[in-house]
PDB file of all heavy atoms in Angstrom:
ATOM      1  N   LEU A  19      -8.003 -81.410  25.833  1.00  0.00           N
ATOM      2  CA  LEU A  19      -8.138 -80.581  27.055  1.00  0.00           C
ATOM      3  C   LEU A  19      -7.134 -79.427  27.167  1.00  0.00           C
ATOM      4  O   LEU A  19      -7.416 -78.322  27.498  1.00  0.00           O
ATOM      5  CB  LEU A  19      -8.050 -81.532  28.351  1.00  0.00           C
ATOM      6  CG  LEU A  19      -8.360 -80.968  29.596  1.00  0.00           C
ATOM      7  CD1 LEU A  19      -9.668 -80.344  29.737  1.00  0.00           C
ATOM      8  CD2 LEU A  19      -7.948 -81.836  30.764  1.00  0.00           C
ATOM      9  N   VAL A  20      -5.866 -79.785  26.704  1.00  0.00           N
ATOM     10  CA  VAL A  20      -4.877 -78.598  26.654  1.00  0.00           C
ATOM     11  C   VAL A  20      -5.159 -77.578  25.686  1.00  0.00           C
ATOM     12  O   VAL A  20      -5.148 -76.382  26.024  1.00  0.00           O
ATOM     13  CB  VAL A  20      -3.509 -79.221  26.413  1.00  0.00           C
ATOM     14  CG1 VAL A  20      -2.491 -78.207  26.056  1.00  0.00           C
ATOM     15  CG2 VAL A  20      -2.945 -80.217  27.551  1.00  0.00           C
ATOM     16  N   VAL A  21      -5.726 -78.135  24.555  1.00  0.00           N
ATOM     17  CA  VAL A  21      -6.157 -77.102  23.506  1.00  0.00           C
ATOM     18  C   VAL A  21      -7.281 -76.217  24.081  1.00  0.00           C
ATOM     19  O   VAL A  21      -7.398 -74.930  23.926  1.00  0.00           O
ATOM     20  CB  VAL A  21      -6.444 -77.798  22.239  1.00  0.00           C
ATOM     21  CG1 VAL A  21      -7.034 -76.824  21.192  1.00  0.00           C
ATOM     22  CG2 VAL A  21      -5.176 -78.443  21.642  1.00  0.00           C
ATOM     23  N   ALA A  22      -8.270 -76.963  24.680  1.00  0.00           N
ATOM     24  CA  ALA A  22      -9.417 -76.213  25.338  1.00  0.00           C
ATOM     25  C   ALA A  22      -8.971 -75.167  26.209  1.00  0.00           C
ATOM     26  O   ALA A  22      -9.482 -74.025  26.281  1.00  0.00           O
ATOM     27  CB  ALA A  22     -10.444 -77.100  25.817  1.00  0.00           C
ATOM     28  N   VAL A  23      -8.046 -75.545  27.190  1.00  0.00           N
ATOM     29  CA  VAL A  23      -7.555 -74.636  28.292  1.00  0.00           C
ATOM     30  C   VAL A  23      -6.831 -73.423  27.570  1.00  0.00           C
ATOM     31  O   VAL A  23      -6.983 -72.274  27.923  1.00  0.00           O
ATOM     32  CB  VAL A  23      -6.640 -75.334  29.229  1.00  0.00           C
ATOM     33  CG1 VAL A  23      -6.032 -74.435  30.127  1.00  0.00           C
ATOM     34  CG2 VAL A  23      -7.571 -76.247  30.058  1.00  0.00           C
ATOM     35  N   VAL A  24      -5.942 -73.693  26.624  1.00  0.00           N
ATOM     36  CA  VAL A  24      -5.263 -72.604  25.989  1.00  0.00           C
ATOM     37  C   VAL A  24      -6.213 -71.675  25.229  1.00  0.00           C
ATOM     38  O   VAL A  24      -5.953 -70.518  25.287  1.00  0.00           O
ATOM     39  CB  VAL A  24      -4.149 -73.299  24.900  1.00  0.00           C
ATOM     40  CG1 VAL A  24      -3.584 -72.213  24.013  1.00  0.00           C
ATOM     41  CG2 VAL A  24      -3.117 -74.024  25.813  1.00  0.00           C
ATOM     42  N   LEU A  25      -7.227 -72.319  24.599  1.00  0.00           N
ATOM     43  CA  LEU A  25      -8.218 -71.421  23.869  1.00  0.00           C
ATOM     44  C   LEU A  25      -8.966 -70.614  24.968  1.00  0.00           C
ATOM     45  O   LEU A  25      -9.210 -69.353  24.622  1.00  0.00           O
ATOM     46  CB  LEU A  25      -9.204 -72.229  23.023  1.00  0.00           C
ATOM     47  CG  LEU A  25      -8.659 -72.701  21.735  1.00  0.00           C
ATOM     48  CD1 LEU A  25      -9.602 -73.751  21.058  1.00  0.00           C
ATOM     49  CD2 LEU A  25      -8.213 -71.648  20.814  1.00  0.00           C
ATOM     50  N   ALA A  26      -9.330 -71.111  25.986  1.00  0.00           N
ATOM     51  CA  ALA A  26     -10.043 -70.382  27.085  1.00  0.00           C
ATOM     52  C   ALA A  26      -9.214 -69.183  27.538  1.00  0.00           C
ATOM     53  O   ALA A  26      -9.738 -68.072  27.795  1.00  0.00           O
ATOM     54  CB  ALA A  26     -10.508 -71.329  28.194  1.00  0.00           C
ATOM     55  N   VAL A  27      -7.995 -69.517  27.895  1.00  0.00           N
ATOM     56  CA  VAL A  27      -7.074 -68.437  28.360  1.00  0.00           C
ATOM     57  C   VAL A  27      -6.876 -67.387  27.213  1.00  0.00           C
ATOM     58  O   VAL A  27      -6.969 -66.172  27.643  1.00  0.00           O
ATOM     59  CB  VAL A  27      -5.755 -69.155  28.875  1.00  0.00           C
ATOM     60  CG1 VAL A  27      -4.748 -68.052  29.156  1.00  0.00           C
ATOM     61  CG2 VAL A  27      -6.003 -69.919  30.108  1.00  0.00           C
ATOM     62  N   GLY A  28      -6.636 -67.773  26.048  1.00  0.00           N
ATOM     63  CA  GLY A  28      -6.495 -66.910  24.883  1.00  0.00           C
ATOM     64  C   GLY A  28      -7.688 -66.157  24.788  1.00  0.00           C
ATOM     65  O   GLY A  28      -7.557 -64.825  24.643  1.00  0.00           O
ATOM     66  N   LEU A  29      -8.879 -66.710  24.834  1.00  0.00           N
ATOM     67  CA  LEU A  29     -10.150 -65.869  24.661  1.00  0.00           C
ATOM     68  C   LEU A  29     -10.333 -64.899  25.777  1.00  0.00           C
ATOM     69  O   LEU A  29     -10.669 -63.653  25.595  1.00  0.00           O
ATOM     70  CB  LEU A  29     -11.286 -66.806  24.675  1.00  0.00           C
ATOM     71  CG  LEU A  29     -12.619 -66.194  24.438  1.00  0.00           C
ATOM     72  CD1 LEU A  29     -12.791 -65.574  23.181  1.00  0.00           C
ATOM     73  CD2 LEU A  29     -13.858 -67.264  24.608  1.00  0.00           C
ATOM     74  N   TYR A  30      -9.952 -65.276  26.983  1.00  0.00           N
ATOM     75  CA  TYR A  30      -9.993 -64.349  28.137  1.00  0.00           C
ATOM     76  C   TYR A  30      -9.083 -63.064  27.874  1.00  0.00           C
ATOM     77  O   TYR A  30      -9.395 -61.967  28.101  1.00  0.00           O
ATOM     78  CB  TYR A  30      -9.595 -65.122  29.381  1.00  0.00           C
ATOM     79  CG  TYR A  30      -9.291 -64.143  30.630  1.00  0.00           C
ATOM     80  CD1 TYR A  30     -10.334 -63.645  31.256  1.00  0.00           C
ATOM     81  CD2 TYR A  30      -8.034 -63.757  30.995  1.00  0.00           C
ATOM     82  CE1 TYR A  30     -10.241 -62.801  32.358  1.00  0.00           C
ATOM     83  CE2 TYR A  30      -7.802 -62.823  31.996  1.00  0.00           C
ATOM     84  CZ  TYR A  30      -8.943 -62.282  32.675  1.00  0.00           C
ATOM     85  OH  TYR A  30      -8.715 -61.485  33.788  1.00  0.00           O
ATOM     86  N   PHE A  31      -7.818 -63.400  27.430  1.00  0.00           N
ATOM     87  CA  PHE A  31      -6.885 -62.218  27.146  1.00  0.00           C
ATOM     88  C   PHE A  31      -7.316 -61.444  26.051  1.00  0.00           C
ATOM     89  O   PHE A  31      -7.252 -60.174  26.075  1.00  0.00           O
ATOM     90  CB  PHE A  31      -5.486 -62.805  26.890  1.00  0.00           C
ATOM     91  CG  PHE A  31      -4.792 -63.166  28.283  1.00  0.00           C
ATOM     92  CD1 PHE A  31      -4.477 -64.555  28.356  1.00  0.00           C
ATOM     93  CD2 PHE A  31      -4.470 -62.285  29.151  1.00  0.00           C
ATOM     94  CE1 PHE A  31      -3.757 -64.958  29.545  1.00  0.00           C
ATOM     95  CE2 PHE A  31      -3.772 -62.586  30.285  1.00  0.00           C
ATOM     96  CZ  PHE A  31      -3.435 -63.851  30.487  1.00  0.00           C
ATOM     97  N   VAL A  32      -7.890 -61.979  25.009  1.00  0.00           N
ATOM     98  CA  VAL A  32      -8.525 -61.267  23.905  1.00  0.00           C
ATOM     99  C   VAL A  32      -9.627 -60.284  24.347  1.00  0.00           C
ATOM    100  O   VAL A  32      -9.660 -59.027  24.050  1.00  0.00           O
ATOM    101  CB  VAL A  32      -8.959 -61.992  22.706  1.00  0.00           C
ATOM    102  CG1 VAL A  32      -9.904 -61.319  21.767  1.00  0.00           C
ATOM    103  CG2 VAL A  32      -7.688 -62.683  22.097  1.00  0.00           C
ATOM    104  N   VAL A  33     -10.648 -60.842  25.159  1.00  0.00           N
ATOM    105  CA  VAL A  33     -11.611 -60.122  25.723  1.00  0.00           C
ATOM    106  C   VAL A  33     -11.159 -58.952  26.637  1.00  0.00           C
ATOM    107  O   VAL A  33     -11.536 -57.797  26.673  1.00  0.00           O
ATOM    108  CB  VAL A  33     -12.694 -60.956  26.373  1.00  0.00           C
ATOM    109  CG1 VAL A  33     -13.673 -60.097  27.213  1.00  0.00           C
ATOM    110  CG2 VAL A  33     -13.416 -61.789  25.303  1.00  0.00           C
ATOM    111  N   ALA A  34     -10.154 -59.295  27.565  1.00  0.00           N
ATOM    112  CA  ALA A  34      -9.599 -58.416  28.460  1.00  0.00           C
ATOM    113  C   ALA A  34      -8.929 -57.242  27.694  1.00  0.00           C
ATOM    114  O   ALA A  34      -9.046 -55.976  27.979  1.00  0.00           O
ATOM    115  CB  ALA A  34      -8.543 -58.970  29.466  1.00  0.00           C
TER     116      ALA A  34
END
Side-chain angles (χ1 to χ4, degrees):
L19 184 62
V20 169
V21 169
V23 168
V24 168
L25 283 176
V27 170
L29 181 64
Y30 170 76
F31 281 115
V32 167
V33 168

